[in-house]
Amino acid sequence: MLNTVVKIFQHRNEIRLALIFLALIIIPSGLLGFFSWRALKSEELISRQRLSESYNHFARLAAREFDYELEKVEKKWVAEIKTTFDRDNKKLRLDGLEQLTKQEPQIAACFLLTAPGQVAFPPGMSLQAENAATPLMPSESYVREHEIFKELVNRGEDLEYRAFDLVGALTVYREIAGRVTSPQLRAMAQSYCGRVLQKQGEWRAALVIFEKLLAAYPEMRDLNKTYLRFLCQYQIAVCLESLERDQQAVETLLRLHRDLFERSDAINAVQYSYFQNLIQNLTPRLLASPRLSAASDYQAQFRALAEQNKKRLSQKYFLQLLDRVLTETMIERKHYRSRFRYLSDEADDEPYLLAYHFLPDPRDIYITGLVGLQIDLRQLRQRLFPEILSNLKFSEKVSLAVLNQKGSHVIGAVNPELAPIATQTLAPPFDFWQVAIYLNETPTPFRRWDFRTTVGYWLISLLLLSIFSGAYLFIRRAQREAYLSKMKSTFVSNVSHELRTPLTSIRMMAELTEMQLAENAAANRDRAQQHLRIIRRECDRLGRLIESVLNFAKIERGLQSYRFEYEEPAAVLRLAIEAFRPSAEAQGFELETEIPGDLPELRLDTDAISQVLLNLLSNAVKYSEAVKKIRVRAQRRAQQVVVEVTDCGIGIPAAELPKIFDDFYRVDQRLDTHQQGGMGLGLTLARHIVRAHGGDLTVRSEVGKGSTFSFTLPIPAAESGSAVAKDLAVEIEAS
């Protein structure tokens, strides 16, 4: 009695001590840390707000200065352009444009387009093919043809990509050639026809189209100003490969690679990289072809071309941008307005600025041409920044830069490492730019604090960290101990129950056999043999239970290992099924198999996979009642082999499906069930084995109708590649 009282008293003291610790240490420390953190954050926020307001105001002042200086520069450009006009017929003089680039250092180049694709300046530069030049059409006809083209292309693409009607799409694309006269639109329509024929497997017809298109329009571009010749050469190589003419395909691909490099100054980096990637994806497949002679020589040529860098953009690229603007404007039938417009972006990681002015028709109503200027951004910086910096007084810790709409650097501070502390968009027409303010060093608010405050802050933080870390570790350990205790109890209970059942049967059958043999050995021989069969079956069952426990223990300790070898999966599956068939048929089950013999070789552990299949078959027998029928099916799906075991048993409720693979879990755990239970480890072990092979084990089930367990085994990469090559060869032979 005295010991009990002492224990109660000690227990109460521990509770009291814990409450004191909680009330006097943890709660005050937490409150102190919280209020200290709030005070410091408030101070930092106020400081940042003041600093941000200051630099925002400075950014607005800088933007005003930039607006003022850019307005003066724009007036100068307008005045210079006006001097190039002939006063009598109001047309631009080409010699005036040439003098403009020499007299004005901020103008790097001048461009004059009299119509879409018609370049009047610089001399000798063209945007159209020499043998397919587009005649200058009336505006109405030009606009109408583009409207017809757009309408038919939209209809064809709906059939091709949404309805998957390739025949209908091909008919629509061919209709374009009869409805338009523009060589550009006709060439694009032909490329669409070739694409559809490739999808249909008509490689010869597609090859003819792309070869004719390349010969007829060698300099033609599509509406995005990308050379059609690049697309044609690549598709010719694809068609030749599909026709097993690998030698010609490699040579075509080499010509495309050289052509792409030679014309790289007229396309941007995105277009260049796109065709480079197409070449790199197709080249290894062609070089590995057994029909190719001198593959090493071709590989050396491809390697030499890959080492060449893209050429810098030339004036032809900017001509394409201006030509696209003029084309879109004329198609939209916009009216003429006398003002300068601008294009600002970056290409090949370099920013650019284009100023352009539309040219009107004789009635000054519609647009017929365009004059453009390429602005030298370095000269512009030298013109703007000295003037602006002299008007703005600021610390050396601050720097200015001009960014585009994407936030990329245009002029000013080069590649700033820090984010801008303030930005301000410029006024139209330069509202695509913004002024950014940068700090040359990171602000350090901690410098405003004294040493004492800093040390106190860190001590509070360490105190809170230690308290919360200790509490977290204590809770995690308590949870783990509780979980382990529960698992041990569950394991001991399950193992004791499951081992007791076969031992009881063995003992009872042995006693009956002994009694019968003692009474009359000859008369009871048949019954004794039956009892011995039961004893043997229960011994086998006991052995399986012990084996499952041992395997589970190895998995839990990470000691389970497998012997992977290349095996024929069909043979492994059939061997396991035939080993199980006598037991199934003895219980009245019909066992159907659907296992093709041409399944690819897999890298697997034969015994482990046999154990998976036997576990699934045992479950099918165990949970089937009225309809005793089991089907095993194996097939290949994509890059894996799928094995399915289907029964017509009692099924699994939907709520139980997520739990059936848990340790020691059984769907039917009633004490009055007539089925022989297990320890709930069969599916756990099966899933672990399948996942160790790189696959997975899943289940589909419906109550009262049965279940289907499926496990997948991946096909090795070498086997998968050979199968893909075999399928491709069959497709080529069929075409």
Side-chain angles (χ1 to χ4, degrees):
M1 183 68 180
L2 180 61
N3 292 334
T4 305
V5 173
V6 171
K7 290 182 180 179
I8 295 175
F9 183 77
Q10 290 177 349
H11 183 65
R12 290 182 177 178
N13 284 340
E14 291 175 356
I15 295 176
R16 186 181 297 109
L17 182 62
L19 292 175
I20 293 174
F21 180 79
L22 178 67
L24 298 182
I25 298 179
I26 297 181
I27 295 178
S29 299
L31 293 175
L32 179 61
F34 173 74
F35 288 123
S36 300
W37 174 77
R38 287 297 302 269
L40 294 173
K41 294 299 291 185
S42 299
E43 181 184 356
E44 182 181 356
L45 180 61
I46 293 173
S47 176
R48 287 185 179 275
Q49 287 178 346
R50 291 174 180 173
L51 188 64
S52 178
E53 290 176 0
S54 174
Y55 283 111
N56 283 332
H57 178 68
F58 181 72
R60 289 191 292 269
L61 293 178
R64 290 180 186 176
E65 292 293 330
F66 272 101
D67 290 334
Y68 177 71
E69 294 298 328
L70 286 172
E71 184 180 0
K72 292 195 300 183
V73 171
E74 185 184 29
K75 289 181 179 179
K76 187 175 182 180
W77 295 336
V78 174
E80 293 290 345
I81 288 294
K82 287 183 178 179
T83 60
T84 62
F85 276 88
D86 194 331
R87 296 182 179 179
D88 297 331
N89 53 18
K90 297 182 179 181
K91 291 185 177 180
L92 281 171
R93 294 181 289 105
L94 301 184
D95 58 341
L97 291 177
E98 187 173 356
Q99 290 295 325
L100 187 60
T101 57
K102 297 178 181 179
Q103 296 174 357
E104 180 55 51
Q106 296 179 21
I107 300 178
C110 294
F111 309 99
L112 178 60
L113 295 169
T114 57
Q118 303 295 323
V119 181
F121 191 87
M125 194 169 291
S126 173
L127 293 178
Q128 293 285 2
E130 295 179 0
N131 59 343
T134 303
L136 184 60
M137 296 183 296
S139 297
E140 293 292 342
S141 175
Y142 184 82
V143 173
R144 181 56 184 160
E145 284 207 354
H146 278 77
E147 291 177 350
I148 294 173
F149 176 80
K150 184 177 181 180
E151 177 185 352
L152 292 176
V153 167
N154 289 338
R155 191 194 312 169
E157 290 180 344
D158 285 340
L159 293 172
E160 180 180 357
Y161 295 107
R162 295 184 181 179
F164 303 103
D165 183 4
L166 297 180
V167 176
L170 186 61
T171 303
V172 173
Y173 293 147
R174 285 173 173 169
E175 183 183 349
I176 296 176
R179 300 283 299 276
V180 300
T181 59
S182 169
Q184 181 188 34
L185 304 183
R186 293 168 67 94
M188 292 177 63
Q190 287 297 315
S191 69
Y192 299 158
C193 292
R195 180 182 67 203
V196 174
L197 289 172
Q198 285 181 318
K199 292 182 179 180
Q200 292 179 328
E202 300 290 339
W203 300 108
R204 296 186 185 279
L207 177 63
V208 171
I209 285 183
F210 286 117
E211 287 179 340
K212 289 183 178 179
L213 187 58
L214 180 62
Y217 307 106
E219 302 296 329
M220 189 63 66
R221 296 172 182 261
D222 61 13
L223 295 179
N224 293 322
K225 302 305 174 185
T226 302
Y227 281 107
L228 285 176
R229 63 184 296 123
F230 297 154
L231 177 65
C232 290
Q233 291 178 86
Y234 173 75
Q235 298 296 2
I236 289 173
V238 172
C239 293
L240 290 172
E241 182 200 17
S242 301
L243 294 172
E244 299 184 1
R245 295 159 60 180
D246 296 340
Q247 191 84 19
Q248 295 175 326
V250 170
E251 293 173 356
T252 302
L253 209 59
L254 272 174
R255 286 196 298 270
L256 169 60
H257 210 322
R258 298 190 189 98
D259 194 19
L260 183 64
F261 172 73
E262 291 298 327
R263 298 170 183 266
S264 61
D265 61 334
I267 59 177
N268 59 26
V270 176
Q271 295 174 348
Y272 185 80
S273 299
Y274 172 74
F275 286 103
Q276 281 277 26
N277 291 335
L278 291 179
I279 294 172
Q280 292 173 3
N281 292 335
L282 184 57
T283 300
R285 197 163 68 240
L286 289 174
L287 294 179
S289 172
R291 294 183 294 271
L292 184 65
S293 60
S296 59
D297 295 340
Y298 287 119
Q299 189 172 9
Q301 296 182 53
F302 277 110
R303 188 182 300 110
L305 288 171
E307 293 175 355
Q308 295 177 337
N309 296 322
K310 179 184 181 300
K311 296 181 180 179
R312 294 176 62 88
L313 290 176
S314 64
Q315 293 183 358
K316 201 165 188 178
Y317 177 75
F318 299 112
L319 260 177
Q320 297 167 23
L321 295 180
L322 295 174
D323 182 60
R324 183 187 302 178
V325 171
L326 178 60
T327 301
E328 293 175 354
T329 305
M330 292 186 64
I331 292 175
E332 295 173 2
R333 301 292 288 155
K334 291 184 178 179
H335 288 233
Y336 168 73
R337 294 290 184 273
S338 179
R339 65 183 180 89
F340 263 88
R341 296 170 174 82
Y342 297 91
L343 281 176
S344 177
D345 205 338
E346 57 181 351
D348 294 357
D349 298 327
E350 291 188 6
Y352 62 83
L353 176 63
L354 297 178
Y356 62 94
H357 187 281
F358 289 120
L359 300 178
D361 60 7
R363 295 182 298 170
D364 290 346
I365 297 177
Y366 294 109
I367 296 169
T368 59
L370 174 148
V371 59
L373 307 175
Q374 179 189 352
I375 307 303
D376 191 330
L377 293 178
R378 294 181 181 178
Q379 293 291 335
L380 183 62
R381 184 189 187 283
Q382 295 178 5
R383 168 70 177 80
L384 295 179
F385 272 75
E387 189 73 21
I388 293 174
L389 296 180
S390 64
N391 296 333
L392 295 173
K393 297 179 180 180
F394 55 90
S395 171
E396 295 181 354
K397 298 179 181 180
V398 176
S399 58
L400 295 178
V402 175
L403 310 180
N404 59 19
Q405 292 176 333
K406 300 177 182 178
S408 301
H409 168 266
V410 178
I411 53 178
V414 179
N415 296 327
E417 297 180 357
L418 302 175
I421 194 170
T423 58
Q424 179 62 42
T425 303
L426 299 181
F430 297 96
D431 50 352
F432 46 80
W433 281 351
Q434 57 181 346
V435 177
I437 310 297
Y438 290 92
L439 292 180
N440 296 331
E441 60 181 15
T442 306
T444 54
F446 289 98
R447 292 180 181 176
R448 298 192 305 272
W449 306 342
D450 57 11
F451 178 79
R452 194 172 184 179
T453 305
T454 304
V455 172
Y457 176 80
W458 284 110
L459 287 176
I460 293 171
S461 300
L462 290 174
L463 177 61
L464 291 173
L465 181 62
S466 62
I467 292 172
F468 288 122
S469 298
Y472 174 78
L473 292 175
F474 176 79
I475 294 173
R476 289 285 297 175
R477 182 148 186 110
Q479 289 178 340
R480 178 170 179 79
E481 291 295 333
Y483 176 77
L484 291 176
S485 177
K486 181 180 179 181
M487 288 294 294
K488 290 177 182 178
S489 300
T490 303
F491 180 81
V492 171
S493 176
N494 285 333
V495 170
S496 301
H497 175 73
E498 295 303 324
L499 294 182
R500 184 187 303 157
T501 301
L503 287 175
T504 302
S505 299
I506 292 172
R507 181 177 180 179
M508 182 179 65
M509 292 298 106
E511 291 176 353
L512 289 175
T513 303
E514 184 180 5
M515 292 171 58
Q516 291 170 357
L517 291 176
E519 294 175 359
N520 190 345
N524 296 316
R525 184 178 301 276
D526 294 337
R527 186 172 299 176
Q529 290 179 352
Q530 181 181 3
H531 292 169
L532 290 174
R533 285 196 296 270
I534 295 175
I535 291 174
R536 184 178 59 186
R537 186 175 68 245
E538 292 298 318
C539 288
D540 293 339
R541 181 184 171 204
L542 185 60
R544 289 196 301 270
L545 292 173
I546 296 173
E547 185 68 22
S548 297
V549 172
L550 293 177
N551 289 336
F552 179 76
K554 289 182 180 179
I555 292 173
E556 286 295 301
R557 289 181 294 169
L559 301 178
Q560 183 70 14
S561 61
Y562 301 97
R563 295 170 53 187
F564 292 96
E565 294 180 357
Y566 283 92
E567 300 285 350
E568 293 287 345
V572 174
L573 297 176
R574 290 194 184 102
L575 187 62
I577 292 171
E578 293 305 317
F580 185 80
R581 187 182 297 276
S583 175
E585 292 178 350
Q587 300 179 59
F589 280 83
E590 178 184 357
L591 193 59
E592 296 181 357
T593 60
E594 187 178 341
I595 303 175
D598 59 347
L599 293 176
E601 284 191 348
L602 303 179
R603 190 170 177 269
L604 50 82
D605 186 324
T606 303
D607 294 336
I609 296 301
S610 298
Q611 181 183 351
V612 172
L613 186 57
L614 291 174
N615 284 351
L616 298 180
L617 290 172
S618 297
N619 281 349
V621 170
K622 187 183 302 181
Y623 294 102
S624 295
E625 296 179 346
V627 181
K628 296 186 176 183
K629 182 177 180 181
I630 302 174
R631 186 182 67 174
V632 180
R633 181 188 180 198
Q635 60 180 329
R636 174 175 180 168
R637 292 181 188 170
Q639 306 305 318
Q640 57 188 5
V641 172
V642 182
V643 182
E644 297 179 347
V645 178
T646 304
D647 62 64
C648 302
I650 61 176
I652 305 172
E656 305 291 337
L657 287 177
K659 308 175 185 177
I660 62 174
F661 296 101
D662 293 344
D663 302 342
F664 307 112
Y665 186 84
R666 301 200 310 270
V667 176
D668 192 350
Q669 302 188 60
R670 297 173 300 168
L671 296 177
D672 61 341
T673 179
H674 67 280
Q675 299 287 357
Q676 290 183 351
M679 288 183 295
L681 292 177
L683 292 178
T684 303
L685 296 174
R687 171 171 276 191
H688 180 274
I689 292 171
V690 173
R691 288 184 173 176
H693 284 70
D696 202 0
L697 176 61
T698 58
V699 61
R700 304 188 309 273
S701 184
E702 186 175 353
V703 176
K705 294 187 178 180
S707 306
T708 298
F709 285 85
S710 305
F711 66 92
T712 59
L713 298 173
I715 300 174
E719 183 66 24
S720 176
S722 63
V724 172
K726 186 185 297 182
D727 294 341
L728 181 60
V730 173
E731 291 179 4
I732 294 174
E733 183 179 358
S735 63

